[in-house]
Every structure is written in C-alpha cells, then in structure tokens.
Amino acid sequence: MWADTELSLHALADRPLPLAREKRVGIDLVNDEVDQELQKEAEIIRGVMALLTRTLEEITEQIRLNRSAKYNLERDLKDKFVALTIDDICLSLNNNSPNIRYSENVLRIEPNSVSLEDWLDFSNTNVEKADKQRNNSLALKALVDSILSQTTSDLRKQCEVVDLAFENGLKVIKDARDKLATHLAKVMEEIASQEKNISLLEKAILDQEGPAKVAHTRLENRTYRPNVELCRDVAQYRLLKEVHEINHNVARLKETLAQAHVELKGLHRRQLALQEEIQVKENTIYIDEVLCMQMRKSIPPREGDELSGWSGGSCPEAVC
C-alpha cells in the first residue's frame, strides 16, 4: 500500500500538465485559475511527498527496532528451549541411567554464568523492550493511518478543485469559441454580400460603356456637320450633358466600387483574425480537455480509486 501511494504521488508530481498548457498560444497563454490551482496542487503534492518521506524514514527505523526486539526474543527463547531440554534430561537421570559418570571439576562456577536476578532481569528486559517497540509500532501505525487519510483527503480536495477549474475554464473557452464562430458566420455572410455588391457595381460600370460610346460617337459624328450646320443646338447641349452625367455616374460607381473593395479587404482581414482566434481556442480546448483532463483521469487520487478509499487501519499483509 505504501509503495503504491509513493508511486502514485511520484506520478502526480511528474505529470507534464504545466508543460502541456505552455503549448497554448496567443491570448490564451495566460496564468489563469487552472494554472494557479495546478501550482497549488503541485505544492500540496511536494508537501505530501516530503511528509511521507519523513514518515517512511520513521517506519524504516521502527521496523529495524522491531526486528532487533524480535531477534532478541527469538534468541532468548531458543536459549531457554535448549536449557529446558538439558534440564529435562537431567531430571530423567537416576542411579541406573546408563550414561551417568564422574566428571572432573564439576564444582566449578562458569565465569560467564549469571545470577538468578540477572537471568530474570535479562528476560524481563527483552519482553519490556519488545512490548515498548510493539506499542511504538501501534502508535506509528495509527499516525500513518492519520497521515494517509489526511494527505489523501487534501490531494482529493485539491484534485476536485483543479478539475472544477478545468471544467469552468473549458466552458468559458467553448462559449468564447462559439461566439467567435457565430461572428465569423456573420462576417462570411457580409463577405458574400459585399462580393455580390462588387459584382453588381462592376456590371453597372460596364453597362455605362454602351451609352457612353453612343454619346461619344454621336458627338464625334456631329463635328462633321458642314459650315453653318455645325451649330451648338439643343441636341448638342443634350449630348454634352449626357456625357457629363455618364462620366459622373461612372466616377461615382468607381468610387463606390473602390470603397467596396476596401471594405471587402477589411472583412477578409477580420475573417482571418476570427479564424486565428478560433484556432487558438480550439488548441486550448484540445490541450485542456484531451491532453490534461484525460491524463488527470488516469492518475489517482480520485473517487473510486484505491487511495480515495483509504479509511485507515493496519494492513494485514504488513511484515515488520
């Protein structure tokens, strides 16, 4: 369980979410709420890892002490078993036992022998040390349960905060993208309308060529009237007026056409700008929704995962 917890935290700490979000472009490359909450999450993870590392060191030391107490108890128990076996053999001896014999210097006192009080103190000390380490282990296990429960709760809460920030951010970005798309559709309609208007203006200018040529031809032909017939009559003035009106109309149409072309270029620039803005939003949505969110869903702690279900208690598979 502890190893799984540590691996999960390393996965959380090492995940490249900030790096993925650095691939946002343009105005979307901003230190938004998601970035801020991700930074808080990274700080919490680093704090949890530091706490778990210190706790793991305490656990390692406690396991060493437990093994030392276990070794002393087992050695004492083994010695007592050997001594008990020897005393059982001695108890079974009698005058008719086949293996009885005289031994030299049997009245000697072994230099490494201990008194009864020392013998009792030695065993009692081993038992007391073992009980102390056992109690320390129980207290440490309770502390570990509390740490795992609290850190898991902290991680899960911050995970939920980050997930909510992602969801809210995605909603805002998608709304902005949809508004841009709606505006782009209107711009495209305006472009189509303006292109149609330009076609009509060009046709209107072209349509003026016929009447203009007719008026010019009439005026040119009338210059060949002989002698006094070359008179500035009403027809002459009407033809001159007609040419002026046609020239004025064509000039006005060309001016309107030029303005229409300027407006069309402006609309095309706006179209490109909107398309770029939409692409920026799509890029951000892909990064947050596909790269980041899918990655987060693959890494605990999260509802339904092993860590989120931690409720304390000793692990029956634990070996000291």
Side-chain angles (χ1 to χ4, degrees):
M1 170 70 76
W2 190 271
D4 293 340
T5 303
E6 189 173 15
L7 287 174
S8 297
L9 287 174
H10 277 295
L12 285 166
D14 296 339
R15 58 188 174 185
L17 288 185
L19 181 60
R21 299 198 88 237
E22 286 176 6
K23 295 179 181 178
R24 294 173 296 164
V25 294
I27 194 173
D28 280 13
L29 187 57
V30 61
N31 184 23
D32 55 7
E33 181 184 0
V34 176
D35 269 353
Q36 295 169 8
E37 295 301 336
L38 279 172
Q39 290 166 6
K40 290 180 183 178
E41 187 176 47
E43 292 175 3
I44 292 174
I45 292 170
R46 286 192 289 267
V48 168
M49 290 180 66
L51 175 60
L52 293 182
T53 299
R54 292 194 300 271
T55 307
L56 182 59
E57 292 172 355
E58 294 180 21
I59 292 173
T60 302
E61 176 62 16
Q62 186 59 54
I63 289 175
R64 187 191 67 79
L65 294 174
N66 288 352
R67 286 174 175 167
S68 176
K70 178 174 176 284
Y71 170 78
N72 290 332
L73 285 176
E74 288 176 343
R75 187 180 65 174
D76 192 16
L77 182 61
K78 180 180 179 182
D79 291 346
K80 283 180 167 50
F81 179 76
V82 173
L84 183 60
T85 301
I86 292 173
D87 285 347
D88 285 340
I89 294 173
C90 293
L91 180 61
S92 66
L93 294 177
N94 56 50
N95 295 337
N96 297 321
S97 297
N99 295 326
I100 61 175
R101 66 187 182 283
Y102 286 106
S103 301
E104 296 181 1
N105 198 19
V106 293
L107 298 179
R108 72 184 182 279
I109 297 177
E110 296 293 337
N112 59 344
S113 63
V114 298
S115 65
L116 178 61
E117 290 77 10
D118 290 340
W119 176 79
L120 290 172
D121 287 343
F122 179 79
S123 296
N124 289 336
T125 298
N126 282 337
V127 173
E128 289 174 0
K129 287 182 177 179
D131 283 340
K132 179 181 178 181
Q133 298 308 327
R134 180 176 179 275
N135 291 332
N136 289 344
S137 296
L138 292 175
L140 185 57
K141 284 183 178 180
L143 176 62
V144 170
D145 288 345
S146 175
I147 290 174
L148 286 176
S149 178
Q150 184 59 49
T151 55
T152 301
S153 176
D154 293 342
L155 288 171
R156 186 170 60 247
K157 287 178 181 178
Q158 185 59 27
C159 180
E160 291 171 354
V161 170
V162 174
D163 287 349
L164 182 60
F166 265 113
E167 291 174 2
N168 292 338
L170 280 168
K171 184 177 182 301
V172 171
I173 294 172
K174 287 181 179 179
D175 287 344
R177 178 202 59 188
D178 294 342
K179 289 179 181 178
L180 289 171
T182 300
H183 189 39
L184 176 61
K186 292 180 179 179
V187 170
M188 296 302 293
E189 290 179 1
E190 291 179 14
I191 289 175
S193 176
Q194 193 69 301
E195 288 176 343
K196 183 179 180 181
N197 187 39
I198 288 173
S199 297
L200 293 175
L201 287 171
E202 290 175 343
K203 184 178 182 302
I205 293 173
L206 189 61
D207 290 342
Q208 294 297 315
E209 289 185 1
K213 289 178 180 179
V214 170
H216 277 256
T217 301
R218 285 172 175 172
L219 284 172
E220 178 65 20
N221 289 340
R222 296 190 90 237
T223 61
Y224 296 108
R225 288 175 297 166
N227 301 318
V228 74
E229 295 301 323
L230 189 60
C231 170
R232 297 189 296 276
D233 56 5
V234 175
Q236 184 73 14
Y237 286 112
R238 290 288 178 90
L239 283 171
L240 290 173
K241 182 178 180 182
E242 182 181 15
V243 170
H244 285 303
E245 288 178 351
I246 291 174
N247 290 339
H248 176 72
N249 290 338
V250 170
R252 189 175 59 183
L253 287 172
K254 286 183 176 179
E255 182 182 350
T256 305
L257 179 62
Q259 182 63 32
H261 277 295
V262 171
E263 292 179 3
L264 182 61
K265 288 181 180 179
L267 288 172
H268 280 303
R269 286 194 296 270
R270 184 56 181 156
Q271 173 195 354
L272 292 175
L274 287 171
Q275 288 173 338
E276 289 178 0
E277 290 182 46
I278 291 173
Q279 186 58 42
V280 167
K281 301 302 179 188
E282 291 288 358
N283 178 67
T284 302
I285 291 171
Y286 174 76
I287 290 172
D288 285 357
E289 189 170 43
V290 178
L291 296 183
C292 296
M293 289 299 291
Q294 292 300 321
M295 186 184 302
R296 290 181 62 80
K297 289 179 181 178
S298 67
I299 301 175
R302 193 174 295 277
E303 290 297 335
D305 290 327
E306 183 178 7
L307 282 178
S308 64
W310 176 262
S311 58
S314 302
C315 180
E317 293 82 10
V319 178
C320 294

